[in-house]
Amino acid sequence: MEGLVRACAEALEGIRAEGLLKGERPIASPQGARVRLADGREAVNLCANNYLGLADHPDLVAAAHAALDSHGLGMASVRFICGTSDLHRELERGLAGFLGAEDAILFPSCFDANTGLFEAVLGDEDAVVSDALNHASIIDGVRLCKARRYRYANNDAGELEARLKEAADAKHRLVVTDGVFSMDGTVADLPAIVALCEAYDALLVVDDSHAVGFMGPDGSGTPAHHGLKGRVPVTTGTFGKALGGAAGGYVAGPGPIVGLLRQRARPYLFSNALPPAVAAATLKALDLVAAGAAARERLHANAARFRAGLEGAGFDLVPGSHPIVPVMVGDAAKAGALAGALMDKGVYVTAFSFPVVPKGRARIRTQMSAALTTDDLDRAIVAFEEAGRDLGILG
Ligand SMILES: *Cc1c(COP(=O)(O)O)cnc(C)c1O
């Protein structure tokens, strides 16, 4: 026992020595465009998944308060025993309508949705084909299923087609991709992927966690963004990002798939139901998204302004237009130093290094929010420029 504890201490020391130790900074205010840290400092926040600024929205907070009063704190049960509230079903129907799916099923998180899905629907005669940069929860979910596994290079339709050919003898084929790859902010090439899935009779699953609520003309995600709403049979996603930022996830798709998940998905069967107050707040988030064209416009305009500002300053960005704006640094220690210098200037960002991104590809992943003002962004651009110069990241 002592030996294992000592080995953990050594592993931690190794992580620290490599400059890869991830710290945690306590925030004492609600999550928002500006936050107050527990140490009293205030900062413009460029690293939350708070795309629409709903995490502290008064209407969501009020909806949660009302549901706390009407429904209590929690269900103290999984859904099938005595854990289904009217709000759960209302949210599942609301999501299905919003996403253009037949039905939807709630999970405690999208991580759980992805770890429950594949094992429940795929058997050992089936094949699953997964993008190399898919989210950790998809990787884990695929590991848990008995189907044959294939991987294709990130967003590479040519490789996807080759894998689909190799999997031609499987009973069923399932292709899974993130709608937006979270470390780069690049959008999956759904036009090519949908066409291949249709041609090779594969079921497509898109995890739209970094898109649901703000991508596409109606905010319903990457299928709508590409004009393909209705042609992506299954989507998964989170409520922990644009849709209020609390917690929870879902799978939306054909009735029989959702129905089977209610019978078989282990995180659904063996983990507590979503708190009703979170369901109520998420329903309110869907209402705001339905009337939210202005917020989406603000979000995308903020992304364009921030990208232009950083590029103008000479930073190396991952190209794109998504509100994830990654500033490439390369060296993990340097990325950490840049994040620290920015914090001192009142700009809250986080450095991402191995194992979250490949070694030598450390970066500051900034994320835009509709709640950020142009003044916030311009201040942040100046801070980046000064800190980048001081640290020799900019020439
Ligand atoms: C954030 C994220 C998840 C996990 O969502 P949670 O609801 O926080 O568990 C899953 N997939 C992708 C692509 C994500 O970005």
Side-chain angles (χ1 to χ4, degrees):
M1 204 274 274
E2 292 230 328
L4 184 52
V5 173
R6 204 159 40 240
C8 290
E10 282 162 16
L12 259 178
E13 203 34 62
I15 293 168
R16 193 194 313 273
E18 281 193 87
L20 300 178
L21 197 71
K22 287 177 275 301
E24 299 175 3
R25 237 190 260 280
I27 293 176
S29 68
Q31 186 64 278
R34 269 156 251 96
V35 289
R36 184 168 34 79
L37 302 180
D39 64 13
R41 289 189 287 177
E42 307 224 354
V44 173
N45 186 359
L46 299 187
C47 52
N49 295 307
N50 191 17
Y51 293 111
L52 295 172
L54 298 185
D56 65 343
H57 194 287
D59 292 0
L60 269 70
V61 175
H65 270 298
L68 272 174
D69 290 338
S70 59
H71 289 70
L73 182 60
M75 298 306 293
S77 172
V78 299
R79 290 285 297 277
F80 85 93
I81 301 178
C82 57
T84 297
S85 87
D86 53 346
L87 291 169
H88 290 129
R89 276 310 289 154
E90 211 184 309
L91 177 54
E92 286 171 340
R93 289 198 201 96
L95 272 171
F98 172 53
L99 300 168
E102 214 168 274
D103 202 355
I105 173 174
L106 306 179
F107 283 84
S109 68
C110 185
F111 202 107
D112 285 332
N114 288 336
T115 51
L117 171 62
F118 306 99
E119 185 191 24
V121 305
L122 295 171
D124 56 10
E125 293 173 285
D126 300 325
V128 54
V129 188
S130 180
D131 188 288
L133 286 194
N134 276 342
H135 189 265
S137 56
I138 297 177
I139 295 170
D140 287 8
V142 167
R143 277 188 190 140
L144 287 170
C145 80
K146 297 198 170 62
R148 260 188 283 155
R149 299 170 213 157
Y150 298 89
R151 204 163 75 137
Y152 63 99
N154 180 228
N155 230 352
D156 184 328
E159 267 204 23
L160 170 58
E161 180 162 28
R163 298 293 98 79
L164 283 167
K165 283 183 175 151
E166 288 170 38
D169 61 331
K171 191 166 171 196
H172 306 106
R173 282 154 300 283
L174 184 154
V175 172
V176 56
T177 180
D178 282 10
V180 173
F181 296 95
S182 54
M183 286 303 129
D184 296 320
T186 50
V187 182
D189 184 5
L190 290 189
I193 296 168
V194 165
L196 285 169
C197 288
E198 289 175 356
Y200 287 86
D201 188 26
L203 182 93
L204 176 58
V205 176
V206 171
D207 177 346
D208 240 359
S209 288
H210 280 285
V212 69
F214 61 92
M215 296 281 286
D218 62 354
S220 67
T222 53
H225 169 78
H226 288 292
L228 292 168
K229 196 167 173 179
R231 284 174 68 192
V232 173
V234 176
T235 58
T236 71
T238 184
F239 310 137
K241 293 182 173 123
L243 297 179
Y250 63 86
V251 176
I257 289 184
V258 169
L260 190 62
L261 290 174
R262 289 192 203 282
Q263 303 306 312
R264 282 192 185 161
R266 292 164 68 82
Y268 185 81
L269 291 173
F270 296 102
S271 190
N272 203 28
L274 202 65
V278 171
T282 308
L283 274 162
K284 179 56 71 176
L286 292 183
D287 286 348
L288 295 186
V289 167
R296 286 194 287 283
E297 245 166 64
R298 223 162 35 243
L299 171 63
H300 296 298
N302 280 351
R305 184 184 190 93
F306 195 60
R307 278 181 183 277
L310 289 184
E311 265 164 3
F315 281 101
D316 175 20
L317 309 183
V318 178
S321 61
H322 190 271
I324 292 173
V325 183
V327 183
M328 298 307 295
V329 178
D331 178 63
K334 214 159 218 183
L338 179 56
L342 285 163
M343 190 71 239
D344 292 341
K345 295 176 187 294
V347 177
Y348 190 177
V349 296
T350 302
F352 286 71
S353 52
F354 184 79
V356 180
V357 296
K359 278 196 174 150
R361 302 272 298 154
R363 67 198 66 183
I364 305 284
R365 182 184 71 173
T366 66
Q367 289 170 281
M368 295 297 104
S369 169
L372 289 160
T373 64
T374 51
D375 186 54
D376 292 331
L377 295 175
D378 293 347
R379 271 181 47 206
I381 292 164
V382 169
F384 258 94
E385 211 167 349
E386 290 172 358
R389 237 182 237 113
D390 289 349
L391 290 165
I393 294 165
L394 290 180

